[in-house]
Amino acid sequence: MNRAGVIGWPVAHSLSPVLHGYWLKQYGIDGSYEKIPAAPEDFVATITRLRAEGYAGVNVTVPHKEAAFALADTHRQSAKATNAANLLVFMGDGRIGADNTDGTGLVDSLESELGSIALGGKNIVVLGAGGAARGIVEALYGRGVGKITVLNRHAERALQLIEYASASRTNVKFKSGSLAEWAEAATDAWLVVNTTSAGMKGNPPLDMDLSVLPKDAAICDIVYNPLETPLLKSAKARGLRAIDGLGMLMCQAAPSFQAFFFDEMGGKAPEVTPGLRTALVEALGQH
Ligand code: ATR
């Protein structure tokens, strides 16, 4: 029986067990997925123990994502771009592989909402320049978008992100700025992605003037608590397409499940379905 889990501190709030538990049941797999609490000083020892106990790997959440990256032997580009890992796979040869599936999770969910060729050549505005934004910019680049503008409260952080992302890449236009440059960036935006924690339960929302966006623009918020953030509410009120953060949450988990239960799944990724979404909405209601 393959075992996996999510390691964090605290970890009680994590929705990962709901996602993986749903898939274990749906595919009739005899496996387990647990919450694994570990304080920062216990992180490395806990990983060593889990490997010794034969776990297939773990998902990693706050505050261990950077430590997980540092501990791994091999790193996917998505993890390198963020210096962080949300997935550690314990490989048969004893090495640990690090991946960060947050960015591809968001892009996969956008493609399922907007159509698979939708992102090609498009102008995308990313709000925020933290770890989440780094992963998302990397994944957007990978899908061949036309232009990526990163706007952040502290503009220098947006500039740093763009400097890393654009190094030796010429086929996508990159731009950075402060939130004050919103109106200019928004006029020809096809999609806006909010990666900031503004609008999350307990945080004041971003105060963006959505009237400057094209009428057919889409807005995506990676925050999923609340499911309808004030930003998405105003987007809907203007008739703009609004995409909530549950799609990203579901899509970022799929490659982890595929890696943990590879043989049982015949190498395939699990499906992201409306039933899974319903299970998450229910779990969020109980939080
Ligand atoms: P994560 O790794 O989850 O992205 P982070 O690195 O703490 O988290 O980044 C949080 C992002 O939200 C940052 O872009 C931050 O802006 P600053 O870099 O200027 O701090 C942004 N953010 C948080 N609260 C915000 C607010 N009230 N208004 C605007 N941006 C905010």
Short mmCIF file of all heavy atoms in Angstrom, two decimals, residues 109-162:
data_model
loop_
_atom_site.label_atom_id
_atom_site.label_comp_id
_atom_site.label_asym_id
_atom_site.label_seq_id
_atom_site.Cartn_x
_atom_site.Cartn_y
_atom_site.Cartn_z
N SER A 109 -5.72 24.96 -15.06
CA SER A 109 -7.12 25.30 -14.74
C SER A 109 -7.62 26.40 -15.68
O SER A 109 -8.78 26.38 -16.10
CB SER A 109 -7.28 25.70 -13.27
OG SER A 109 -7.02 27.05 -13.07
N LEU A 110 -6.75 27.33 -16.05
CA LEU A 110 -7.16 28.38 -17.01
C LEU A 110 -7.50 27.76 -18.35
O LEU A 110 -8.49 28.11 -18.98
CB LEU A 110 -6.03 29.39 -17.21
CG LEU A 110 -5.74 30.34 -16.04
CD1 LEU A 110 -4.49 31.17 -16.34
CD2 LEU A 110 -6.92 31.24 -15.77
N GLU A 111 -6.67 26.81 -18.78
CA GLU A 111 -6.93 26.18 -20.07
C GLU A 111 -8.23 25.39 -20.05
O GLU A 111 -8.94 25.32 -21.05
CB GLU A 111 -5.75 25.31 -20.48
CG GLU A 111 -4.59 26.19 -20.93
CD GLU A 111 -3.40 25.42 -21.48
OE1 GLU A 111 -3.32 24.20 -21.24
OE2 GLU A 111 -2.57 26.04 -22.15
N SER A 112 -8.55 24.79 -18.90
CA SER A 112 -9.81 24.04 -18.88
C SER A 112 -11.01 25.00 -18.83
O SER A 112 -12.07 24.71 -19.35
CB SER A 112 -9.81 23.00 -17.76
OG SER A 112 -10.36 23.51 -16.60
N GLU A 113 -10.83 26.19 -18.25
CA GLU A 113 -11.94 27.16 -18.21
C GLU A 113 -12.06 27.95 -19.52
O GLU A 113 -13.16 28.33 -19.92
CB GLU A 113 -11.71 28.18 -17.08
CG GLU A 113 -11.63 27.58 -15.70
CD GLU A 113 -12.97 27.57 -14.99
OE1 GLU A 113 -13.91 28.19 -15.50
OE2 GLU A 113 -13.04 26.93 -13.92
N LEU A 114 -10.90 28.24 -20.13
CA LEU A 114 -10.91 29.20 -21.25
C LEU A 114 -10.65 28.55 -22.60
O LEU A 114 -10.72 29.22 -23.62
CB LEU A 114 -9.87 30.31 -21.00
CG LEU A 114 -10.04 31.13 -19.72
CD1 LEU A 114 -8.81 31.99 -19.45
CD2 LEU A 114 -11.28 32.01 -19.80
N GLY A 115 -10.28 27.26 -22.58
CA GLY A 115 -9.98 26.60 -23.86
C GLY A 115 -8.49 26.36 -23.99
O GLY A 115 -7.69 27.21 -23.60
N SER A 116 -8.12 25.22 -24.57
CA SER A 116 -6.72 24.80 -24.50
C SER A 116 -5.75 25.66 -25.30
O SER A 116 -4.58 25.73 -24.98
CB SER A 116 -6.60 23.34 -24.92
OG SER A 116 -6.97 23.22 -26.26
N ILE A 117 -6.23 26.32 -26.36
CA ILE A 117 -5.26 27.14 -27.11
C ILE A 117 -5.39 28.61 -26.71
O ILE A 117 -4.77 29.49 -27.29
CB ILE A 117 -5.45 27.00 -28.63
CG1 ILE A 117 -6.91 27.24 -29.02
CG2 ILE A 117 -4.95 25.66 -29.12
CD1 ILE A 117 -7.09 27.61 -30.46
N ALA A 118 -6.21 28.83 -25.67
CA ALA A 118 -6.58 30.20 -25.34
C ALA A 118 -5.41 31.11 -24.98
O ALA A 118 -5.42 32.29 -25.29
CB ALA A 118 -7.58 30.18 -24.19
N LEU A 119 -4.40 30.57 -24.32
CA LEU A 119 -3.36 31.44 -23.76
C LEU A 119 -2.33 31.91 -24.80
O LEU A 119 -1.65 32.91 -24.58
CB LEU A 119 -2.63 30.72 -22.62
CG LEU A 119 -3.50 30.40 -21.39
CD1 LEU A 119 -2.72 29.51 -20.43
CD2 LEU A 119 -3.92 31.67 -20.69
N GLY A 120 -2.23 31.21 -25.90
CA GLY A 120 -1.20 31.52 -26.90
C GLY A 120 -1.26 32.97 -27.38
O GLY A 120 -2.29 33.43 -27.84
N GLY A 121 -0.15 33.67 -27.24
CA GLY A 121 -0.03 35.03 -27.76
C GLY A 121 -0.75 36.11 -26.97
O GLY A 121 -0.73 37.29 -27.35
N LYS A 122 -1.42 35.74 -25.89
CA LYS A 122 -2.27 36.71 -25.18
C LYS A 122 -1.48 37.61 -24.22
O LYS A 122 -0.40 37.25 -23.75
CB LYS A 122 -3.34 35.96 -24.39
CG LYS A 122 -4.30 35.18 -25.26
CD LYS A 122 -5.14 36.08 -26.12
CE LYS A 122 -6.37 35.42 -26.70
NZ LYS A 122 -6.21 34.14 -27.32
N ASN A 123 -2.11 38.76 -23.90
CA ASN A 123 -1.55 39.70 -22.92
C ASN A 123 -2.07 39.36 -21.54
O ASN A 123 -3.29 39.38 -21.31
CB ASN A 123 -1.99 41.12 -23.23
CG ASN A 123 -1.17 41.72 -24.34
OD1 ASN A 123 -0.22 41.10 -24.81
ND2 ASN A 123 -1.53 42.92 -24.75
N ILE A 124 -1.18 39.06 -20.62
CA ILE A 124 -1.60 38.66 -19.28
C ILE A 124 -1.03 39.63 -18.25
O ILE A 124 0.16 39.96 -18.31
CB ILE A 124 -1.07 37.24 -18.92
CG1 ILE A 124 -1.16 36.28 -20.11
CG2 ILE A 124 -1.76 36.71 -17.67
CD1 ILE A 124 -2.45 35.64 -20.40
N VAL A 125 -1.85 40.07 -17.33
CA VAL A 125 -1.38 40.92 -16.23
C VAL A 125 -1.41 40.09 -14.95
O VAL A 125 -2.45 39.51 -14.61
CB VAL A 125 -2.25 42.18 -16.06
CG1 VAL A 125 -1.81 42.99 -14.83
CG2 VAL A 125 -2.18 43.05 -17.31
N VAL A 126 -0.27 40.01 -14.28
CA VAL A 126 -0.18 39.26 -13.02
C VAL A 126 -0.04 40.28 -11.89
O VAL A 126 0.86 41.13 -11.93
CB VAL A 126 1.05 38.31 -13.04
CG1 VAL A 126 1.24 37.63 -11.69
CG2 VAL A 126 0.89 37.27 -14.14
N LEU A 127 -0.93 40.21 -10.92
CA LEU A 127 -0.85 41.10 -9.76
C LEU A 127 -0.15 40.37 -8.64
O LEU A 127 -0.58 39.28 -8.24
CB LEU A 127 -2.26 41.53 -9.31
CG LEU A 127 -3.11 42.21 -10.39
CD1 LEU A 127 -4.53 42.45 -9.89
CD2 LEU A 127 -2.47 43.53 -10.83
N GLY A 128 0.94 40.95 -8.12
CA GLY A 128 1.70 40.31 -7.05
C GLY A 128 3.01 39.76 -7.59
O GLY A 128 3.12 39.45 -8.79
N ALA A 129 4.00 39.66 -6.70
CA ALA A 129 5.33 39.20 -7.14
C ALA A 129 5.95 38.28 -6.09
O ALA A 129 7.17 38.23 -5.95
CB ALA A 129 6.22 40.40 -7.42
N GLY A 130 5.12 37.55 -5.35
CA GLY A 130 5.63 36.60 -4.36
C GLY A 130 5.93 35.25 -5.00
O GLY A 130 6.04 35.14 -6.22
N GLY A 131 6.03 34.23 -4.15
CA GLY A 131 6.36 32.90 -4.63
C GLY A 131 5.32 32.38 -5.61
O GLY A 131 5.67 31.77 -6.64
N ALA A 132 4.06 32.62 -5.33
CA ALA A 132 3.01 32.12 -6.21
C ALA A 132 3.14 32.75 -7.60
O ALA A 132 3.05 32.07 -8.62
CB ALA A 132 1.64 32.43 -5.61
N ALA A 133 3.40 34.06 -7.63
CA ALA A 133 3.53 34.77 -8.91
C ALA A 133 4.70 34.21 -9.71
O ALA A 133 4.61 34.05 -10.93
CB ALA A 133 3.71 36.27 -8.67
N ARG A 134 5.80 33.91 -9.05
CA ARG A 134 6.98 33.36 -9.75
C ARG A 134 6.63 32.08 -10.50
O ARG A 134 6.97 31.91 -11.67
CB ARG A 134 8.09 33.03 -8.74
CG ARG A 134 8.93 34.21 -8.42
CD ARG A 134 10.07 33.87 -7.45
NE ARG A 134 10.75 35.10 -7.14
CZ ARG A 134 11.77 35.59 -7.83
NH1 ARG A 134 12.26 34.92 -8.85
NH2 ARG A 134 12.32 36.75 -7.51
N GLY A 135 5.95 31.19 -9.80
CA GLY A 135 5.58 29.92 -10.42
C GLY A 135 4.62 30.12 -11.57
O GLY A 135 4.70 29.45 -12.61
N ILE A 136 3.70 31.05 -11.40
CA ILE A 136 2.67 31.29 -12.42
C ILE A 136 3.29 31.92 -13.66
O ILE A 136 2.98 31.53 -14.79
CB ILE A 136 1.53 32.15 -11.82
CG1 ILE A 136 0.71 31.26 -10.87
CG2 ILE A 136 0.67 32.80 -12.89
CD1 ILE A 136 -0.23 32.00 -9.96
N VAL A 137 4.20 32.88 -13.47
CA VAL A 137 4.86 33.51 -14.62
C VAL A 137 5.65 32.46 -15.40
O VAL A 137 5.61 32.41 -16.63
CB VAL A 137 5.77 34.68 -14.16
CG1 VAL A 137 6.70 35.13 -15.27
CG2 VAL A 137 4.91 35.84 -13.68
N GLU A 138 6.32 31.58 -14.68
CA GLU A 138 7.09 30.51 -15.33
C GLU A 138 6.16 29.61 -16.17
O GLU A 138 6.46 29.27 -17.32
CB GLU A 138 7.78 29.68 -14.25
CG GLU A 138 8.82 28.72 -14.74
CD GLU A 138 10.05 29.40 -15.34
OE1 GLU A 138 10.30 30.59 -15.04
OE2 GLU A 138 10.73 28.74 -16.12
N ALA A 139 5.03 29.26 -15.60
CA ALA A 139 4.10 28.37 -16.31
C ALA A 139 3.44 29.09 -17.49
O ALA A 139 3.24 28.50 -18.55
CB ALA A 139 3.04 27.86 -15.34
N LEU A 140 3.12 30.37 -17.32
CA LEU A 140 2.54 31.14 -18.43
C LEU A 140 3.53 31.20 -19.59
O LEU A 140 3.18 31.05 -20.76
CB LEU A 140 2.18 32.56 -17.98
CG LEU A 140 0.94 32.70 -17.08
CD1 LEU A 140 0.86 34.11 -16.51
CD2 LEU A 140 -0.34 32.36 -17.85
N TYR A 141 4.79 31.44 -19.24
CA TYR A 141 5.83 31.47 -20.28
C TYR A 141 5.84 30.14 -21.04
O TYR A 141 5.90 30.12 -22.27
CB TYR A 141 7.20 31.74 -19.63
CG TYR A 141 8.33 31.52 -20.61
CD1 TYR A 141 8.63 32.49 -21.56
CD2 TYR A 141 9.03 30.32 -20.62
CE1 TYR A 141 9.62 32.27 -22.50
CE2 TYR A 141 10.03 30.09 -21.56
CZ TYR A 141 10.32 31.07 -22.50
OH TYR A 141 11.30 30.85 -23.43
N GLY A 142 5.73 29.06 -20.29
CA GLY A 142 5.76 27.73 -20.90
C GLY A 142 4.60 27.47 -21.86
O GLY A 142 4.68 26.61 -22.72
N ARG A 143 3.50 28.22 -21.71
CA ARG A 143 2.34 28.02 -22.60
C ARG A 143 2.32 29.02 -23.76
O ARG A 143 1.30 29.17 -24.44
CB ARG A 143 1.02 28.11 -21.83
CG ARG A 143 0.90 27.15 -20.68
CD ARG A 143 0.81 25.67 -21.09
NE ARG A 143 1.14 24.83 -19.95
CZ ARG A 143 0.27 24.15 -19.22
NH1 ARG A 143 -1.01 24.18 -19.54
NH2 ARG A 143 0.67 23.43 -18.20
N GLY A 144 3.39 29.76 -23.93
CA GLY A 144 3.49 30.61 -25.13
C GLY A 144 2.61 31.84 -25.13
O GLY A 144 2.10 32.23 -26.20
N VAL A 145 2.42 32.48 -23.98
CA VAL A 145 1.65 33.72 -23.99
C VAL A 145 2.47 34.81 -24.68
O VAL A 145 3.67 34.67 -24.89
CB VAL A 145 1.25 34.16 -22.55
CG1 VAL A 145 0.44 33.07 -21.88
CG2 VAL A 145 2.47 34.54 -21.72
N GLY A 146 1.79 35.91 -25.07
CA GLY A 146 2.49 36.95 -25.83
C GLY A 146 3.22 37.94 -24.95
O GLY A 146 4.35 38.35 -25.22
N LYS A 147 2.55 38.36 -23.87
CA LYS A 147 3.14 39.40 -23.03
C LYS A 147 2.73 39.16 -21.57
O LYS A 147 1.57 38.84 -21.30
CB LYS A 147 2.62 40.76 -23.50
CG LYS A 147 3.17 41.94 -22.72
CD LYS A 147 2.64 43.23 -23.36
CE LYS A 147 2.92 44.43 -22.51
NZ LYS A 147 2.21 45.63 -23.03
N ILE A 148 3.67 39.31 -20.67
CA ILE A 148 3.37 39.16 -19.23
C ILE A 148 3.78 40.45 -18.53
O ILE A 148 4.94 40.86 -18.59
CB ILE A 148 4.15 37.98 -18.61
CG1 ILE A 148 3.84 36.67 -19.35
CG2 ILE A 148 3.82 37.86 -17.13
CD1 ILE A 148 4.68 35.47 -18.88
N THR A 149 2.82 41.10 -17.89
CA THR A 149 3.11 42.29 -17.10
C THR A 149 2.88 41.96 -15.64
O THR A 149 1.79 41.54 -15.26
CB THR A 149 2.18 43.47 -17.50
OG1 THR A 149 2.29 43.67 -18.91
CG2 THR A 149 2.55 44.74 -16.76
N VAL A 150 3.90 42.13 -14.82
CA VAL A 150 3.78 41.87 -13.38
C VAL A 150 3.72 43.20 -12.65
O VAL A 150 4.64 44.02 -12.76
CB VAL A 150 4.96 41.03 -12.86
CG1 VAL A 150 4.86 40.83 -11.35
CG2 VAL A 150 5.00 39.66 -13.55
N LEU A 151 2.63 43.41 -11.94
CA LEU A 151 2.48 44.64 -11.14
C LEU A 151 2.46 44.26 -9.67
O LEU A 151 1.76 43.32 -9.28
CB LEU A 151 1.18 45.37 -11.49
CG LEU A 151 0.98 45.77 -12.95
CD1 LEU A 151 -0.36 46.49 -13.11
CD2 LEU A 151 2.13 46.65 -13.45
N ASN A 152 3.21 44.99 -8.85
CA ASN A 152 3.26 44.66 -7.43
C ASN A 152 3.27 45.93 -6.61
O ASN A 152 3.73 46.97 -7.06
CB ASN A 152 4.53 43.83 -7.14
CG ASN A 152 4.46 43.14 -5.80
OD1 ASN A 152 3.42 42.57 -5.45
ND2 ASN A 152 5.53 43.18 -5.03
N ARG A 153 2.72 45.80 -5.37
CA ARG A 153 2.73 46.93 -4.44
C ARG A 153 4.15 47.51 -4.34
O ARG A 153 4.34 48.70 -4.48
CB ARG A 153 2.22 46.43 -3.08
CG ARG A 153 2.14 47.46 -2.01
CD ARG A 153 1.43 46.90 -0.81
NE ARG A 153 2.08 45.69 -0.28
CZ ARG A 153 1.64 45.01 0.78
NH1 ARG A 153 0.54 45.41 1.40
NH2 ARG A 153 2.28 43.94 1.20
N HIS A 154 5.13 46.65 -4.10
CA HIS A 154 6.53 47.08 -4.12
C HIS A 154 7.10 46.73 -5.50
O HIS A 154 7.40 45.57 -5.79
CB HIS A 154 7.33 46.38 -3.02
CG HIS A 154 6.85 46.72 -1.65
ND1 HIS A 154 6.01 45.92 -0.92
CD2 HIS A 154 7.09 47.81 -0.89
CE1 HIS A 154 5.74 46.50 0.23
NE2 HIS A 154 6.39 47.65 0.29
N ALA A 155 7.24 47.77 -6.34
CA ALA A 155 7.60 47.55 -7.75
C ALA A 155 8.93 46.83 -7.93
O ALA A 155 9.11 46.07 -8.89
CB ALA A 155 7.62 48.88 -8.49
N GLU A 156 9.87 47.03 -6.99
CA GLU A 156 11.21 46.43 -7.18
C GLU A 156 11.12 44.91 -7.15
O GLU A 156 11.90 44.21 -7.80
CB GLU A 156 12.24 46.98 -6.18
CG GLU A 156 12.04 46.64 -4.72
CD GLU A 156 10.98 47.49 -4.02
OE1 GLU A 156 10.32 48.33 -4.68
OE2 GLU A 156 10.78 47.28 -2.81
N ARG A 157 10.16 44.39 -6.40
CA ARG A 157 10.00 42.93 -6.35
C ARG A 157 9.48 42.40 -7.70
O ARG A 157 9.88 41.33 -8.15
CB ARG A 157 8.99 42.59 -5.23
CG ARG A 157 9.48 41.50 -4.33
CD ARG A 157 8.50 41.20 -3.23
NE ARG A 157 8.61 39.81 -2.85
CZ ARG A 157 7.70 39.17 -2.14
NH1 ARG A 157 6.60 39.78 -1.76
NH2 ARG A 157 7.88 37.91 -1.83
N ALA A 158 8.61 43.17 -8.32
CA ALA A 158 8.10 42.79 -9.65
C ALA A 158 9.24 42.82 -10.66
O ALA A 158 9.36 41.94 -11.52
CB ALA A 158 6.99 43.74 -10.07
N LEU A 159 10.10 43.82 -10.53
CA LEU A 159 11.24 43.95 -11.45
C LEU A 159 12.18 42.75 -11.29
O LEU A 159 12.62 42.16 -12.29
CB LEU A 159 11.99 45.26 -11.15
CG LEU A 159 13.21 45.52 -12.02
CD1 LEU A 159 12.83 45.66 -13.49
CD2 LEU A 159 13.93 46.80 -11.56
N GLN A 160 12.46 42.36 -10.04
CA GLN A 160 13.33 41.20 -9.80
C GLN A 160 12.75 39.94 -10.44
O GLN A 160 13.45 39.14 -11.06
CB GLN A 160 13.48 40.94 -8.31
CG GLN A 160 14.48 41.84 -7.62
CD GLN A 160 14.34 41.79 -6.10
OE1 GLN A 160 13.64 40.93 -5.56
NE2 GLN A 160 14.99 42.72 -5.43
N LEU A 161 11.45 39.78 -10.28
CA LEU A 161 10.79 38.59 -10.84
C LEU A 161 10.96 38.56 -12.36
O LEU A 161 11.34 37.55 -12.95
CB LEU A 161 9.30 38.62 -10.45
CG LEU A 161 8.48 37.35 -10.66
CD1 LEU A 161 7.14 37.45 -9.93
CD2 LEU A 161 8.23 37.00 -12.10
N ILE A 162 10.70 39.70 -12.97
CA ILE A 162 10.78 39.79 -14.43
C ILE A 162 12.21 39.61 -14.92
O ILE A 162 12.46 38.99 -15.96
CB ILE A 162 10.18 41.16 -14.89
CG1 ILE A 162 8.66 41.09 -14.79
CG2 ILE A 162 10.63 41.55 -16.27
CD1 ILE A 162 8.04 39.98 -15.59
#
